[in-house]
């Protein structure tokens, strides 16, 4: 019962947050100079002001801003995200078409960074704790520092140069081999191969974060009294780490993974651009450059809903990891 | 009498067709049928319907699907395409086109004169940003005399009229699909239907556009390629890698950063050409706002021309991919005249001109509105800042993106900026628009945004566009060029020389003045030698 109240009240608040985000975005986008009509006219090399006026009228840009906002909000109630004039398609279709690619990339990068990050963090702290192979700790920490400080796009380009151009092991761009018409497992394998470089490029930064976070959190728990007690009773170090330390050290990771999921969409813009990955990150970037207002708003709406949902999930996971935490609205 | 003549014509036609078939099949033997050509389309076009959209990626991909009545050779003379012949009446007011026979739309319906009338008179008059201007101003009527013949009647003479019938401009659109519908929202806009050598197959947004061979193409035996795949790769460095790896076999000059150009051209199995840009002959200019100081003073504008080392700009900033311009008309188009006042790099002369102008540079700060088309243009802005500072002006650079740039330039809200503009085969279409005082209109970029106004120039341009005699036209355009250069109506920087690169086994890619935008009907891939 407590859980249901919690969920309902959170969802109610979320709806208000999303409404606020939509309205703010709508107004903020209009502060940028230039509109779709002027861009299309510019790119067509037009010299006819009547043409530009005709485009504005077609896009509904000649209406007062409040009227445009009202029309947009009314449409949202029926899941009508509007029409992208640039792509000549409904915004909803465009996003639905591109969302799976982004979710796949985000999911892969998330799993990659969290699994590897935790493993590295645990390994580093363990070598320190049991006082053997302390050099491994230094190597892992230096590596994470390096990955933490390296710009994403630079890493991506280097990865392409090494693994695609020089070694020829992995494809450099796209999501699948064009025209191969692969089916079943061949298709899965093909997509997986294409997924490797973008996943690593997008995930490395967070992997480094997790490794450092996990290590320091582990070391902190290791210094606590209950761990000392367990050690004093003669429990082997490995068992202490598995039973007592790791679980207690995981909470900061949960907090941070919530933040990461929210930020992955932003990182995906760069990764998708460099690797030609057909996701919504690029859709958003193109829409911004082209002042494709409704498409941009649509992507913002979807990503903000995603962030809200991820935050909610994070709160639920807290409870799973540490049952002492209670649901509070 | 009559039947025998028609029988004779019938036989002659048969013989001609047979001969053509033999020649055609001989040609097929020489080339290789089949294969897929991978290229890059960048940025991703919004749609593929030429006629509704005129952005360069749309022209590039759409040019394989759609056709115009004419195409243009490297010397820009009209060549037959959907029209097999044409005649112009002596008074220059009636243009009659005879169409090819046996042409079909990609959905199997026949292409007829009605489609031409519909395209030009109903569709493009409304939708095409450039063509509609000419059609609405000069063309009185467009009629189908019979299913194979179309007649355009002009209100007054417009000499470059024939330059307007290429695929980019006078695109032919299927009447049976568009008539009576709202052209812009017609659902068929997602699946383009043309008459060209390649049919639309699929478009995975954000990743690829695939075209396949049109087996019913009216030029028998063509095209040679089975498939064309246009990859969407948004990052310039990744595009260069894709070409280097051989994932794509052909790239256009603006697909990659200038910095990669020399390295890729030097690859062992790569050929390159600067041909195929003649029709566009893109010109880069510096646009100075001539409504306010200091650029309202012609001496200041001349000083700026002397203060800019344009050889340095071409060779160092643009990696040698251009040629210093002498005036507003490109050296690769008709009516170019090199006999104009030269502006050499001479700081002393520039400073003297500033002194003569009576302008105090210290008191007139200048803001450069950067041209938002990549880092080379940023460098150009920085170099210009340095050059103007050498004359004593305090200079600031303002950054913007494409939308902001278009808006500010259209509203005359700038001191100095840059642009590059296409010339479309004739000064009347691509050059006059930048200088006519009737084109000083708010709200539109790439017109007379600098505010240059000279009744003499207006008169010369207007007379030249309706003058039928070529020598007389040349005289008029020569005079225009002299005036525009003397008064520095715009600062002419350089002609862009785009480099097309392709793998050595790709042949016949660039065969006309419209280059990579052409149909690729005759392009083929030679199998690699084992």
């Amino acid at each position: 019962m407590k859980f249901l109240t919690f969920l309902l009240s959170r969802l109610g608040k979320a709806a208000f947050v999303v409404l606020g985000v939509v309205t703010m975005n709508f107004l903020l986008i209009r502060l940028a100079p230039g509109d779709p009509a002027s861009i299309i006219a510019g790119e067509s090399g037009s010299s006819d002001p009547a043409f530009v006026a005709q485009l504005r009228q077609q896009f509904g840009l000649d209406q007062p801003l409040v009227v445009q906002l009202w029309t947009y909000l009314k449409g949202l109630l029926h899941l009508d995200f509007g029409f992208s004039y640039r792509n000549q398609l409904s915004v909803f279709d465009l996003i639905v078409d591109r969302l799976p690619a982004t979710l796949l990339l985000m999911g892969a990068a998330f799993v990659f960074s969290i699994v590897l990050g935790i493993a590295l963090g645990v390994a580093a702290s363990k070598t320190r704790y049991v006082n053997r192979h302390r050099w491994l700790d230094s190597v892992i920490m230096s590596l994470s520092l390096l990955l933490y400080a390296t710009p994403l796009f630079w890493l991506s380009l280097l990865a392409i140069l090494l693994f695609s151009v020089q070694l020829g092991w992995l494809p450099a761009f796209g999501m699948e081999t064009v025209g191969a018409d692969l089916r079943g497992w061949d298709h899965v394998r093909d997509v997986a191969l294409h997924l490797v470089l973008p996943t690593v490029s997008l995930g490395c930064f967070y992997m480094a974060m997790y490794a450092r976070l996990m290590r320091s959190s582990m070391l902190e728990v290791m210094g606590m009294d209950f761990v000392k007690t367990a050690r004093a009773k003669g429990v082997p170090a490995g068992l202490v780490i598995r039973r007592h330390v790791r679980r207690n050290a995981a909470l900061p990771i949960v907090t941070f993974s919530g933040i990461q999921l929210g930020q992955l969409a932003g990182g995906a813009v760069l990764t998708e651009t460099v690797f030609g990955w057909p996701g919504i990150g690029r859709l958003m970037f193109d829409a911004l450059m082209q002042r494709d207002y409704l498409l941009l708003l649509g992507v913002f709406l979807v990503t903000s809903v995603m962030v809200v949902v991820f935050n909610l999930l994070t709160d639920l996971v807290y409870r799973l990891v540490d049952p002492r935490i209670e649901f509070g609205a | 009498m009559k039947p025998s003549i028609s029988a004779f014509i019938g036989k002659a036609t048969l013989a001609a067709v047979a001969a053509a078939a033999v020649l055609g099949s001989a040609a097929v033997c020489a080339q290789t049928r089949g294969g897929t050509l991978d290229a890059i389309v960048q940025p991703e076009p919004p749609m593929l319907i030429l006629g509704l959209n005129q952005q360069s990626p749309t022209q590039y991909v759409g040019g394989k699907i759609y056709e115009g009545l004419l195409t243009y050779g490297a010397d820009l003379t009209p060549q037959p395409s959907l029209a097999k012949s044409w005649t112009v009446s002596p008074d220059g007011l009636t243009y009659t086109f005879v169409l090819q026979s046996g042409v079909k739309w990609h959905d199997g319906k026949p292409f007829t004169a009605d489609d031409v009338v519909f395209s030009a008179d109903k569709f493009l008059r409304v939708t095409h940003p450039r063509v509609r201007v000419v059609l609405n101003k000069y063309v009185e009527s467009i009629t189908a005399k019979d299913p194979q013949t179309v007649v355009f009647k002009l209100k007054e003479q417009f000499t470059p009229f024939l330059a307007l019938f290429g695929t980019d401009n006078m695109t032919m659109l299927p009447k049976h699909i568009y008539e009576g519908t709202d052209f812009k929202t017609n659902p068929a806009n997602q699946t383009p239907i043309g008459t060209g050598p390649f049919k639309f197959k699929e478009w995975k947004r954000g990743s690829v556009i695939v075209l396949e061979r049109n087996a019913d193409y009216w030029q028998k035996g063509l095209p040679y390629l089975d498939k064309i795949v246009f990859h969407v790769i948004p990052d310039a460095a990744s595009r260069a890698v894709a070409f280097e790896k051989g994932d794509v076999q052909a790239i256009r000059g603006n697909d990659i950063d200038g910095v990669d150009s020399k390295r890729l051209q030097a690859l062992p199995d790569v050929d390159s050409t600067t041909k195929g840009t003649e029709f566009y002959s893109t010109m880069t200019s510096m646009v100075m706002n001539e409504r306010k100081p200091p650029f309202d003073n012609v001496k200041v504008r001349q000083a700026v021309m002397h203060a800019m080392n344009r050889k340095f700009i071409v060779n160092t900033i643009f990696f040698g991919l251009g040629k210093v311009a002498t005036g507003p008309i490109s050296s690769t188009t008709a009516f170019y005249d090199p006999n104009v006042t030269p502006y050499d790099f001479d700081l002393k002369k520039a400073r003297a001109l500033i002194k003569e102008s009576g302008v105090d540079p210290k008191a007139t700060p200048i803001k450069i509105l950067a041209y938002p088309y990549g880092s080379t243009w940023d460098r150009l802005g920085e170099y210009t800042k340095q050059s103007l500072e050498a004359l004593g002006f305090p200079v600031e650079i303002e950054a913007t993106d494409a939308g902001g740039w278009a808006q500010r330039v259209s509203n005359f809200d700038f001191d100095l900026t840059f642009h590059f503009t296409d010339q479309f085969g004739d000064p009347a279409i691509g050059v006059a628009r930048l200088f006519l005082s009737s084109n000083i209109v708010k709200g539109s970029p790439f017109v007379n945004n600098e505010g240059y106004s000279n009744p003499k120039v207006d008169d010369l341009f207007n007379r030249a566009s309706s003058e039928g005699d070529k020598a007389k036209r040349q005289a008029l355009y020569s005079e225009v060029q002299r005036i525009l250069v003397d008064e520095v109506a715009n600062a002419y920087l350089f002609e862009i020389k785009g480099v097309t690169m392709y793998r050595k086994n790709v042949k016949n890619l660039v065969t006309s003045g419209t280059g990579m935008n052409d149909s690729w009907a005759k392009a083929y891939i030679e199998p690699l030698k084992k």
Side-chain angles (χ1 to χ4, degrees), chain B residues 19 133 140 203 216 220 326 357 368 426 514 517:
Chain B
V133 180
E140 186 169 280
W203 183 354
D216 285 334
K220 293 291 168 244
T326 56
S357 74
I368 296 177
D426 196 286
T514 51
N517 280 2

Side-chain angles (χ1 to χ4, degrees), chain A residues 262-315:
Chain A
Q263 289 184 348
L264 268 176
V269 175
L270 259 177
T271 316
E272 287 178 5
T273 302
V274 173
F275 290 99
W277 191 265
I280 55 165
R282 268 187 42 222
L283 197 62
M284 173 166 80
F285 185 75
D286 290 344
L288 176 69
M289 295 317 277
Q290 304 304 337
R291 299 287 190 281
D292 197 341
Y293 294 143
L294 294 183
L295 180 54
L296 193 59
L297 282 172
V299 179
F300 282 164
L301 177 63
V302 170
T303 41
S304 58
V305 168
M306 267 157 65
V307 171
V308 167
V309 170
F310 291 144
N311 281 335
L312 189 57
L313 286 178
T314 313
D315 288 351

Side-chain angles (χ1 to χ4, degrees), chain A residues 34 39 42-48 54 58 86-89 98 164-165 173 176 178 273-274 278 282 291, chain B residues 46-47 55 130 132 184 190 204-206 208 232 234-235 238 241-242 245 401 403 407 433 444-447:
Chain A
I39 299 222
E43 287 174 343
S44 315
S46 154
S47 56
D48 183 6
Q54 180 196 316
Q58 183 198 339
R86 170 111 185 139
N87 293 283
Q88 297 285 316
L89 279 174
R98 302 279 280 266
S164 296
V165 178
F173 64 89
E176 57 196 336
V178 176
T273 302
V274 173
R282 268 187 42 222
R291 299 287 190 281
Chain B
M47 54 153 52
Q55 283 156 241
R130 285 189 307 275
R132 58 178 281 175
K184 291 197 171 88
Q190 297 304 322
K204 284 192 188 151
R205 278 177 198 268
V208 282
V232 179
D235 180 61
S238 306
V241 163
K245 264 192 82 186
D401 68 350
Q407 171 143 343
R433 60 176 170 158
S444 184
F446 305 108
V447 288

Side-chain angles (χ1 to χ4, degrees), chain A residues 87-140:
Chain A
N87 293 283
Q88 297 285 316
L89 279 174
S90 102
V91 170
F92 189 77
D93 291 348
L94 272 168
I95 292 179
V96 166
D97 193 35
R98 302 279 280 266
L99 194 59
T102 296
L103 287 178
L104 177 66
L105 179 60
M106 281 173 66
F110 181 68
V111 172
F112 165 81
S113 57
I114 207 160
V115 170
L116 217 62
I118 288 180
L120 286 176
V122 169
S125 62
K126 209 159 111 184
T127 54
R128 241 193 134 69
Y129 182 55
V130 297
N131 242 329
R132 258 188 303 169
H133 310 304
R134 288 187 81 150
W135 57 269
L136 188 62
D137 179 35
S138 308
V139 168
I140 292 176

Side-chain angles (χ1 to χ4, degrees), chain B residues 4 19 45 127 146 182 188 191 197 234 270 276-277 280 282 285 331 345 363 373 388 402 448 452 464 473 481 490 499:
Chain B
S4 71
T127 60
D146 59 62
D182 180 355
T191 48
V270 166
T277 51
Y280 307 100
T282 313
S285 316
S331 64
F345 175 52
Y373 287 86
L388 293 178
N448 186 344
Y452 177 80
R473 273 193 95 192
Q481 285 171 81
N490 264 336
V499 185

